[in-house]
Amino acid sequence: MATYAPAVAYDARRDAPASSNPYDPFYGVRSIADICSHFVAHNFDAQEAPRNYPRLGHFVAYVLYRTKLSKHVVYAALYLLGYMKQHFHNHLRSQTSTPTSGHRLFLAAFMIASKTICDDNYSNKSFAELARMSQVASPREINQMEREMLAHLEWKVNVIPWKLERFERRVERDYSGPGPYP
């Protein structure tokens, strides 16, 4: 199976409108961060994080801002999460009850999608640094999250380009606003 290889990286500074607020907790990528947080929270019943953790949307925005990866990587991550939910929904319910479960699910799927799509990708150590700075997971937990998600996905991590394009359109349509979600 072929993977979707993006031609140009999604650059928050180039692709997002400039924020009038000098401190933007969404780093100029609020729309895609909101879509991701709505998708993860709705599909995995992710709890809102306590005060000492970043909100899921802020965490997603931070990861996107720091990595500067293509939006196709983001949607491939959501696609993998959707696949995992369809095939392992009952098993996942028991594992998505921690305050940072949404953060962890997104990060693990994003790591796998970036490694699948990008030739030159970030190491687990780099992703662990993002998670550590946000108090989401330790480096050891990052490796464990990736292994567990790959096992749940049965190593089926390639996304067919036309399926990804169709999925992107559907997710943008269904998760852009405040809800209700399908």
Side-chain angles (χ1 to χ4, degrees):
M1 289 184 167
T3 58
Y4 192 98
V8 179
Y10 180 75
D11 185 342
R13 291 170 291 183
R14 182 192 70 226
D15 297 339
S19 174
S20 59
N21 182 352
Y23 173 74
D24 178 6
F26 290 97
Y27 303 95
V29 294
R30 183 173 191 151
S31 63
I32 197 165
D34 281 347
I35 289 170
C36 292
S37 63
H38 294 159
F39 182 90
V40 172
H42 176 72
N43 286 291
F44 294 96
D45 301 323
Q47 303 174 15
E48 186 59 43
R51 287 180 166 235
N52 56 330
Y53 293 100
R55 288 183 39 223
L56 180 57
H58 292 164
F59 175 73
V60 169
Y62 179 70
V63 169
L64 299 180
Y65 172 74
R66 292 296 302 241
T67 61
K68 308 277 190 286
L69 292 175
S70 164
K71 75 173 189 168
H72 302 295
V73 174
V74 176
Y75 286 107
L78 296 181
Y79 184 91
L80 294 174
L81 288 172
Y83 177 86
M84 198 170 71
K85 181 188 178 203
Q86 282 182 328
H87 292 85
F88 303 102
H89 183 67
N90 292 334
H91 177 70
L92 292 172
R93 277 195 172 280
S94 63
Q95 296 187 2
T96 58
S97 60
T98 66
T100 59
S101 60
H103 300 65
R104 291 165 177 252
L105 284 167
F106 174 79
L107 186 61
F110 189 72
M111 288 169 47
I112 292 167
S114 73
K115 290 177 181 183
T116 303
I117 292 176
C118 303
D119 289 334
D120 183 21
N121 59 49
Y122 292 89
S123 67
N124 282 18
K125 185 177 179 182
S126 299
F127 282 113
E129 184 62 22
L130 290 173
R132 185 192 64 76
M133 291 176 70
S134 302
Q135 301 175 349
V136 170
S138 70
R140 188 168 155 248
E141 291 170 318
I142 292 288
N143 294 328
Q144 180 182 348
M145 290 168 11
E146 181 182 37
R147 281 191 308 272
E148 288 177 3
M149 185 167 288
L150 286 167
H152 286 309
L153 292 168
E154 299 172 335
W155 290 83
K156 295 176 183 172
V157 296
N158 290 330
V159 182
I160 299 169
W162 67 266
K163 286 186 177 182
L164 182 59
E165 289 174 16
R166 188 170 68 188
F167 179 79
E168 283 181 33
R169 287 192 301 269
R170 186 175 57 96
V171 168
E172 286 176 349
R173 179 192 72 223
D174 293 346
Y175 293 92
S176 290
Y181 305 114

